[in-house]
Amino acid sequence: MGALYGPAAFLWIAFGCVLGGAVHDYFSGMLSVRHNGQSIPEIVGHYLGEGSRKVMRGFSVILLLLVGVVFMMGPAELLANLGMKGIFANTSFWLAVILAYYFMATVLPVDKVIAKIYPLFGLTLLIMAVGVGGMMLVKGLPIPEITDPHSHPKGLPIWPMLFVTIACGAISGFHATQSPMMSRCLPTESYGRRVFFGAMIAEGVVALIWAAAAMSFFPNGLEGLNEVLSKGGAGLVVNEVSVGLMGTVGGMMAILGVIACPITSGDTAFRSVRLIFADAMSISQTSTKNRLMLAVPVFAVGFALTFIDFNIIWRYFAFSNQALATIVLWASAMYMVHQSKSHWLASLPATFMTAVCTTYILMAPEGLSLSAAISYPV
């Protein structure tokens, strides 16, 4: 959990969201709009070449499958721990329910499922953010200052681990894979700033609220947070913070808001895989038969991945997510070059994220496991 890095997380979320994530989301969204809703691998191919297009197709599919699996297992565990009894306290039951919903959201047209249920998800997110943030102020929780000395309880270095651990609240390549769905729904380009840039800023605010809550709610600060994480993972943290700040009823609403976050990512992840395959193979998706032809094998692979250790999947997802964002930023910079405009808005965060991803894969256990003395100079 990124909050274990202390107040440094606040800086990364704030600066990363505005200078990296929102820029990334805006460019990926608007480029999709201007290319008739094409998926991000096709757009990258336009500006970085055919080789990059092929790499992005494979990379995007892997990332989206990991997203779908991660955001299937996480919500299932949270729902099973809401205090219900019988089958409703069974993680496997909720996993089956979420999988069934994901399948419908992947196969059916957007206006049949996703467009109808997302307003409800949005409401729970608002309740969660306002409720948790407001109660922190009411109860006067001691939010750590930026100047307070903190280190990760497990001794993990801030560089580059923090910048990979905290993704969705700062910058996330996964967002680029969702751009085609949003771009196909926009009536005009004028909606782009609020839909792509604005939504990322809102996500950054939510991330700041939860980072502050996680750091300040538990006794002994980060040590207390680490103890709760070791007992029950992020799900237990969410449960204790939500119920502790908002009571049982309000806490349940906040938890549902937290559950809505990953579910609204997982459902569109599998859908995006289907669309990427459809674009790559030029398969029309107007018929249900063609949609099923692509969706069924995708879900078979996703279901198989649920049997792999969650922590392993999460580590590979985290790196893949940031690497994808880096490629999209470079493609955005190249677009600006093609337009004879200043590319620094995209190339500066692209350079930073290139350094993050390179150092991470050199140091991380799932990478080359090299020492900092070797990884940092490289």
Side-chain angles (χ1 to χ4, degrees), residues 326 329-330 344 346-356:
T326 304
L329 284 170
W330 281 120
W344 297 110
S347 59
L348 284 178
T351 302
F352 178 82
M353 291 307 299
T354 299
V356 167

Side-chain angles (χ1 to χ4, degrees), residues 5 41 88 95 217 256 285-286 357:
Y5 289 93
F88 298 108
L95 190 63
F217 179 79
L256 289 175
Q285 295 296 282
T286 55
C357 293

Side-chain angles (χ1 to χ4, degrees), residues 42-93:
E42 309 309 311
I43 294 170
V44 168
H46 286 305
Y47 299 105
L48 298 182
E50 184 61 27
S52 297
R53 187 198 312 272
K54 293 177 180 178
V55 170
M56 278 294 288
R57 283 173 178 169
F59 213 79
S60 297
V61 168
I62 292 172
L63 171 64
L64 288 165
L65 286 173
L66 293 176
V67 168
V69 173
V70 166
F71 292 153
M72 188 190 308
M73 298 165 67
E77 292 176 356
L78 284 171
L79 286 166
N81 289 317
L82 286 179
M84 296 180 285
K85 297 180 180 180
I87 193 173
F88 298 108
N90 189 309
T91 301
S92 297
F93 167 76

Side-chain angles (χ1 to χ4, degrees), residues 251-299:
M252 290 302 103
M253 290 297 295
I255 292 170
L256 289 175
V258 174
I259 291 171
C261 285
I263 285 181
T264 54
S265 298
D267 57 3
T268 52
F270 287 111
R271 187 181 187 89
S272 295
V273 174
R274 174 175 68 81
L275 294 176
I276 288 174
F277 280 130
D279 285 348
M281 295 183 284
S282 300
I283 299 176
S284 172
Q285 295 296 282
T286 55
S287 71
T288 303
K289 177 183 176 181
N290 285 354
R291 293 197 293 269
L292 287 172
M293 181 176 67
L294 296 178
V296 170
V298 166
F299 270 87

